[in-house]
Amino acid sequence: LGDKKITKEMGKINARAKGNAFELWCIKRMRHLFPTAISARWESKRLDDLGVDICYTDEYSFQCKAVEGSMDVFKFLDNMPDGVNMNVVIWTRNRKGVFCIFREPRPDFCESYEGWAEVESKVNPIFKGDKDPPFKWNHPKKGTVGVMPLDDFICLIEKKKGL
């Protein structure tokens, strides 16, 4: 009863504010890896328009999504800049955790990571709740992505940087 009353008084949660807060949380969470990281909203309209939310992150391009429902991560990854950087969508869902989703896991990045499982599915396995990360999600038409918890992803970057 109390939760319903609080929710009713708060009104609808502002999705834009939630997304902006999550983006800033991600920057803060990775500050030790990328000390000069900053939001693309403030730094580079061009990068922001290309779907990159965090600037100055070395060889990684991050897009942050705070989305409760299912989303087409392939669309977001496809719209991010092609090139040298590894494109990563950081996705949070209430009570589900924070995940990193990226195109076919690169051997130079994930070779030491153990525990990859293979999942064949048209529906996002995180959304369905039938598989816990880490896993390689093979979509029959859209390709393969790696999915792992943010903390594991950060550990891999730390290892690669020798931290």
Side-chain angles (χ1 to χ4, degrees), residues 72-162:
D72 186 353
V73 294
F74 295 97
K75 180 181 90 173
F76 293 115
L77 289 168
D78 289 344
N79 289 334
M80 293 176 77
D82 288 333
V84 190
N85 285 1
M86 180 176 181
N87 293 330
V88 181
V89 173
I90 304 174
W91 181 26
T92 185
R93 293 183 62 207
N94 294 345
R95 299 173 301 281
K96 296 287 185 187
V98 181
F99 305 100
C100 289
I101 305 169
F102 45 95
R103 278 285 176 202
E104 176 67 41
R106 297 183 343 195
D108 67 320
F109 182 75
C110 297
E111 63 190 9
S112 63
Y113 191 70
E114 297 178 12
W116 289 109
E118 298 278 336
V119 178
E120 296 280 341
S121 176
K122 289 184 178 180
V123 180
N124 189 327
I126 296 172
F127 186 69
K128 286 174 48 179
D130 59 357
K131 182 69 183 156
D132 290 329
F135 55 81
K136 289 182 186 176
W137 171 23
N138 300 313
H139 190 285
K141 293 183 180 175
K142 298 180 180 182
T144 301
V145 293
V147 180
M148 69 173 54
L150 175 63
D151 288 341
D152 290 4
F153 192 84
I154 287 172
C155 286
L156 287 178
I157 296 173
E158 289 170 343
K159 186 174 182 177
K160 188 171 180 181
K161 288 183 163 221

Side-chain angles (χ1 to χ4, degrees), residues 18-33:
K18 181 180 177 181
N20 290 346
F22 178 61
E23 183 179 306
L24 295 175
W25 179 87
C26 289
I27 292 169
K28 190 174 185 178
R29 178 69 182 86
M30 296 187 290
R31 178 71 65 204
H32 70 291
L33 298 170

